[in-house]
């Protein structure tokens, strides 16, 4: 162990002597370097130090601008609608009534079915009216016989009067008798026609084609002028009418846009039409056109009546039914529209933030028009093509720099815009 320590000491002393020898040789070489070599060495050292500083320098602090979502202002055809409460009315609604008095003998239809025009529906006891017809016919025959006799008497008197064999009085009496008999014939003919008409009323027929209601009276009931006259009703509803009311303000707005409800206008590319919502909140597939608007406003309600006609081939719409009516009031062609969520409304008015080309936010006042779904018409203040802030405007003031990002359009907004 002692010998090993001595060997280690000797080896360390030898290594030290070698180091001193190498250091001396290096010092001698450095002293022997030329001035040019020193300059190159110093330059290299400066380059190395500069490179180390460049790679290790701290990143410069960049300004952080608020991130906002922007979208372009669009021009589009915008349809303006009004919603009202309407009532379905049949195109024709006819009450079947007894026009003569008598006992109801027969019903010749099935309740709730479709009946044709002229189809027999009820029979009222005809015996009394048949007797009246027979009496009137007999009286007519009697009066015709009397008229024929008076005519023959007149024909006999005339030549006698010409021969002075008969007086003027005889001729006048013959003429009067003939004219009276002729008048009696005309009266009897009228009585017969009246009796036959009354007899015809005992057989009640449908005046129109349509669906018939249940009967209002039972068989054997006395019907007619002194009894119950309403027998049933027939409804023609292949085409229905939809009645609803609009306010005087709606009328003024439509007139301001030169839209005359209930009148055809060939200068327009569109017509005021309606769609209706059924009781189960589904939309009826067919449309109806407005064909009438009341020319005056009801002073008690401040509204005026409007009517539209709508096809009902499958009889889905029932007369008397209430429904929601959606009316196309106007079409604003190539109107300037922006998303509703981009508009800020305050006491001073409405404004939006417009992004300039240098990404500066400009607070701009605008004049708003009607709102349709998720979009609003801008009457003045912006033009199509400008970029506006739709998300993040609460971070901004006028003149702020921003980091604009394109707005994300949801599938719902796309579908709404397409509609």
């Amino acid at each position: 162990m002692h010998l090993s320590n001595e060997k280690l000491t000797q080896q360390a002393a030898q290594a030290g002597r070698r180091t001193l020898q190498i250091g001396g040789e290096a010092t001698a070489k450095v002293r022997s370097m030329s001035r040019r070599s020193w300059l190159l060495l110093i330059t290299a050292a400066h380059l190395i130090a500069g490179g180390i500083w460049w790679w290790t320098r701290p990143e410069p602090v960049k300004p952080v601008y608020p991130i906002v979502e922007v979208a372009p202002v669009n021009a589009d055809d915008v349809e303006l609608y009004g919603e009202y409460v309407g009532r379905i009315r049949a195109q024709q609604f006819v009450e079947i009534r007894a026009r003569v008095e008598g006992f109801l003998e027969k019903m010749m239809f099935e309740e709730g079915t479709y009946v044709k025009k002229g189809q027999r529906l009820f029979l009222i006891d005809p015996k009394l009216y048949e007797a009246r017809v027979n009496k009137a016919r007999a009286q007519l025959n009697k009066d015709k016989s009397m008229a024929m006799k008076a005519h023959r008497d007149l024909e006999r008197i005339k030549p006698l009067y010409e021969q002075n064999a008969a007086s003027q009085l005889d001729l006048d009496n013959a003429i009067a008798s003939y004219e009276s008999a002729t008048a009696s014939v005309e009266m009897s003919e009228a009585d017969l026609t009246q009796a036959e008409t009354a007899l015809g009323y005992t057989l009640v027929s449908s005046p129109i084609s349509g669906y018939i209601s249940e009967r209002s009276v039972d068989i054997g009931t006395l019907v007619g002028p002194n009894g119950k006259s309403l027998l049933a009703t027939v409804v023609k509803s292949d085409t229905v009418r939809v009645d609803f009311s609009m306010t005087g303000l709606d009328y003024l707005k439509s007139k301001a846009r030169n839209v005359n409800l209930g009148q055809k206008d060939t200068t327009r590319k569109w017509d005021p039409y309606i769609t209706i919502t059924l009781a189960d909140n589904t939309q009826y597939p067919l449309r109806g056109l407005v064909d009438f608007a009341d020319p005056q406003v009801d002073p008690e309600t401040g509204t005026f009546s409007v009517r539209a006609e709508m096809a009902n081939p499958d009889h889905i719409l029932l007369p008397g039914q209430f429904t929601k009516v959606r009316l196309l009031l106007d079409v604003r062609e190539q109107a300037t529209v922006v998303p509703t969520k981009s508009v800020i409304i305050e006491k001073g008015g409405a404004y939006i933030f417009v992004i300039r080309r240098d990404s500066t936010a400009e607070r701009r006042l605008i004049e708003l028009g009607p709102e349709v779904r998720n979009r609003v018409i801008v009457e003045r203040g912006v033009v199509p093509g400008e970029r506006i802030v739709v998300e993040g405007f609460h971070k901004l003031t006028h003149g702020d720099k921003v980091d604009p990002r394109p707005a994300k359009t949801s599938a719902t907004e796309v579908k709404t815009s397409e509609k």
Side-chain angles (χ1 to χ4, degrees):
M1 187 71 172
H2 181 67
L3 292 174
S4 299
N5 290 335
E6 288 179 355
K7 289 180 178 180
L8 291 173
T9 302
Q10 291 174 359
Q11 291 175 356
Q14 292 175 358
R17 285 193 294 270
R18 290 193 197 96
T19 302
L20 291 174
Q21 185 179 357
I22 294 170
E25 293 175 356
T27 302
K29 288 180 179 180
V30 169
R31 288 177 180 175
S32 63
M33 288 175 60
S34 64
R35 185 177 180 181
R36 182 181 178 184
S37 298
W38 278 105
L39 291 174
L40 291 173
L41 182 62
I42 292 170
T43 303
H46 279 250
L47 291 174
I48 293 171
I52 293 173
W53 175 84
W54 176 262
W55 289 106
T56 58
R57 78 188 191 287
E59 290 289 335
V61 179
K62 295 181 179 180
V64 179
Y65 299 130
I67 298 174
V68 294
E69 293 186 6
V70 299
V73 179
N74 297 320
D76 197 3
D77 294 343
V78 180
E79 297 179 343
L80 304 179
Y81 293 89
E83 294 188 353
Y84 312 93
V85 176
R87 187 174 183 179
I88 307 298
R89 180 163 56 91
Q91 183 184 25
Q92 286 183 285
F93 181 88
V94 179
E95 295 180 339
I96 308 299
R97 293 184 177 273
R99 302 178 68 174
V100 294
E101 188 178 60
F103 291 98
L104 193 64
E105 284 194 348
K106 189 182 296 185
M107 183 183 74
M108 296 171 282
F109 65 94
E110 293 184 10
E111 297 168 312
T113 60
Y114 187 83
V115 296
K116 295 181 179 180
K117 181 178 180 179
Q119 180 176 333
R120 297 177 178 180
L121 303 176
F122 297 97
L123 177 64
I124 301 173
D125 184 7
K127 296 183 182 65
L128 175 62
Y129 301 96
E130 289 174 349
R132 291 177 179 175
V133 168
N134 293 333
K135 180 180 179 181
R137 186 176 290 115
Q139 183 64 42
L140 175 61
N141 292 333
K142 177 182 178 181
D143 290 338
K144 285 182 177 180
S145 299
M146 297 298 294
M148 292 175 63
K149 178 181 182 301
H151 181 262
R152 289 193 298 266
D153 291 343
L154 179 59
E155 292 298 318
R156 284 195 300 268
I157 292 294
K158 282 182 179 181
L160 294 176
Y161 173 76
E162 293 174 354
Q163 298 174 6
N164 295 323
S167 65
Q168 181 67 44
L169 179 61
D170 294 333
L171 179 61
D172 292 341
N173 289 335
I175 293 173
S177 297
Y178 174 71
E179 291 177 349
S180 176
T182 303
S184 297
V185 169
E186 292 177 354
M187 289 180 59
S188 297
E189 288 176 344
D191 291 340
L192 178 60
T193 300
Q194 187 176 7
E196 289 176 341
T197 301
L199 177 61
Y201 289 157
T202 61
L203 186 59
V204 182
S205 302
S206 177
I208 62 171
S209 298
Y211 285 88
I212 192 167
S213 68
E214 65 177 347
R215 66 177 187 269
S216 300
V217 294
D218 294 326
I219 304 301
T221 304
L222 178 65
V223 297
N226 294 326
K228 292 189 65 174
S229 62
L230 181 61
L231 305 179
T233 56
V234 178
V235 177
K236 184 179 182 180
S237 57
D238 297 333
T239 299
V240 295
R241 288 171 177 159
V242 184
D243 297 324
F244 57 97
S245 296
M246 296 177 62
T247 64
L249 180 60
D250 290 332
Y251 174 77
L252 293 176
K253 288 181 178 179
S254 64
K255 292 296 291 183
R257 293 286 299 167
N258 294 321
V259 178
N260 296 316
L261 295 173
Q263 300 179 19
K264 293 185 178 181
D265 189 347
T266 56
T267 63
R268 285 197 311 257
K269 297 179 181 178
W270 58 276
D271 289 313
Y273 69 83
I274 68 164
T275 57
I276 62 176
T277 303
L278 303 177
D280 58 356
N281 290 326
T282 60
Q283 184 172 309
Y284 186 66
L286 301 180
R287 293 177 175 180
L289 290 178
V290 174
D291 62 353
F292 170 77
D294 200 323
Q296 61 183 358
V297 174
D298 186 343
E300 295 183 359
T301 62
T303 62
F304 64 100
S305 300
V306 182
R307 183 187 71 198
E309 195 169 272
M310 179 173 289
N312 187 32
D314 298 325
H315 299 93
I316 296 175
L317 305 178
L318 300 178
Q321 181 181 16
F322 285 95
T323 184
K324 297 177 183 177
V325 177
R326 193 163 180 258
L327 168 65
L328 177 62
L329 293 172
D330 194 7
V331 177
R332 299 285 295 273
E333 297 179 355
Q334 292 301 298
T336 302
V337 292
V338 299
T340 305
K341 62 182 180 181
S342 66
V343 179
I344 306 106
I345 298 177
E346 294 181 349
K347 292 182 179 179
Y351 66 91
I352 58 177
F353 279 100
V354 179
I355 304 302
R356 300 173 182 168
R357 292 184 178 180
D358 60 354
S359 297
T360 302
E362 175 189 351
R363 184 177 183 270
R364 190 180 298 178
L365 288 171
I366 57 174
E367 181 181 339
L368 296 178
E371 181 178 346
V372 182
R373 299 185 181 91
N374 296 324
R375 303 187 299 171
V376 61
I377 296 176
V378 178
E379 303 291 356
R380 57 177 59 89
V382 292
V383 295
E386 290 187 296
R387 294 186 303 165
I388 60 173
V389 179
V390 294
E391 290 289 349
F393 50 75
H394 59 281
K395 312 172 188 176
L396 306 179
T397 57
H398 180 76
D400 285 350
K401 286 278 189 178
V402 298
D403 182 6
R405 307 285 178 85
K408 298 177 182 178
T409 304
S410 65
T412 303
E413 291 177 346
V414 171
K415 290 180 180 178
T416 302
S417 298
E418 290 176 353
K419 289 180 182 178

